[in-house]
Amino acid sequence: GNSVTQMEGPVTLSEEAFLTINCTYTATGYPSLFWYVQYPGEGLQLLLKATKADDKGSNKGFEATYRKETTSFHLEKGSVQVSDSAVYFCALSNDYKLSFGAGTTVTVRA
Amino acid sequence: EAQVTQNPRYLITVTGKKLTVTCSQNMNHEYMSWYRQDPGLGLRQIYYSMNVEVTDKGDVPEGYKVSRKEKRNFPLILESPSPNQTSLYFCASSLSPGGIGVYNEQFFGPGTRLTVL
């Protein structure tokens, strides 16, 4: 079956710090990989995606590269802002279903 | 505005009292799904629907029912709620189910926080 493991939080950073959230997966076939973000009191929004090996997804300064050899999809941002405080979910899909990681809470202090 | 709406947003109820959480989307999406979010577990799929009158179980369907009589609505029904169903619930929809190598972005509602005493 499919499973996603992401680093546990919470993560607390200062503004302009570098953010990395690790994500690894187990899946059959060739899944698509995603990062979703959940801002306080809101639903999930798709942050970025990658549909095949070596693809790099990017959005709002965040990046993640689909690494098939290490079954990983780590999220990075070079300089975080207070507005990036949220819960981040790694997810995969190799059919019509999404499988999520447990989520990582990120708090950015001014 | 294209959106997925859920009602109510917050609900406190007691064990055994039937309740329904409504979900509606205005994007003419075929695929709809319900998830529950619990600390440390991420989101787990409860039920999904490929189209009108087509529903199927997700990973954690026990204690829940759904129906899809109209394309836009996908209510979640708890016939006899129990405290272990206290959770944050999300409805989501996408244009179509997608398939192998094809993923259609799922759009999420704002969530319903349910407490069962």
Side-chain angles (χ1 to χ4, degrees):
Chain A
N2 301 329
S3 69
V4 178
T5 302
Q6 61 182 102
M7 65 182 277
E8 296 194 17
V11 174
T12 303
L13 303 163
S14 298
E15 238 177 351
E16 300 183 3
F18 185 86
L19 171 67
T20 299
I21 304 176
N22 290 340
C23 172
T24 57
Y25 67 90
T26 302
T28 55
Y30 302 94
S32 296
L33 301 174
F34 312 89
W35 278 99
Y36 276 81
V37 59
Q38 182 181 28
Y39 298 106
E42 299 183 10
L44 278 71
Q45 303 173 24
L46 181 63
L47 180 61
L48 55 84
K49 69 179 181 184
T51 57
K52 61 183 188 298
D54 299 325
D55 267 2
K56 176 186 281 188
S58 61
N59 186 24
K60 299 182 181 181
F62 290 90
E63 292 183 341
T65 301
Y66 189 152
R67 302 282 187 205
K68 192 168 186 299
E69 64 276 13
T70 54
T71 61
S72 65
F73 192 55
H74 305 321
L75 182 69
E76 296 181 338
K77 185 173 185 182
S79 176
V80 294
Q81 305 299 313
V82 172
S83 57
D84 294 324
S85 297
V87 182
Y88 293 83
F89 292 93
C90 186
L92 73 81
S93 174
N94 58 5
D95 48 34
Y96 46 82
K97 203 173 138 181
L98 274 177
S99 297
F100 288 88
T104 302
T105 300
V106 173
T107 302
V108 181
R109 300 174 305 197
Chain B
E1 180 189 355
Q3 59 184 344
V4 179
T5 56
Q6 296 178 225
N7 282 292
R9 294 289 312 276
Y10 302 90
L11 179 61
I12 300 174
T13 189
V14 295
T15 299
K17 185 176 181 182
K18 181 179 178 180
L19 67 92
T20 299
V21 183
T22 64
C23 172
S24 182
Q25 49 92 7
N26 63 0
M27 296 170 278
N28 202 36
H29 284 173
E30 290 183 358
Y31 181 83
M32 298 185 75
S33 181
W34 276 103
Y35 298 88
R36 60 179 288 174
Q37 181 182 1
D38 300 291
L41 297 176
L43 276 76
R44 294 176 293 168
Q45 191 179 48
I46 303 171
Y47 269 94
Y48 62 92
S49 170
M50 298 281 208
N51 213 326
V52 176
E53 301 292 4
V54 182
T55 63
D56 209 346
K57 297 176 180 178
D59 297 320
V60 288
E62 295 77 20
Y64 305 94
K65 285 175 56 178
V66 292
S67 69
R68 187 92 180 275
K69 293 184 169 47
E70 307 165 277
K71 199 171 189 179
R72 62 184 292 129
N73 296 324
F74 190 45
L76 179 70
I77 303 156
L78 285 73
E79 294 270 3
S80 183
S82 62
N84 65 11
Q85 293 178 297
T86 293
S87 187
L88 180 58
Y89 292 86
F90 288 101
C91 180
S93 72
S94 66
L95 186 62
S96 70
I100 303 297
V102 176
Y103 175 74
N104 292 308
E105 179 182 350
Q106 290 195 24
F107 294 85
F108 284 79
T112 295
R113 186 166 292 283
L114 172 66
T115 301
V116 183
L117 301 175

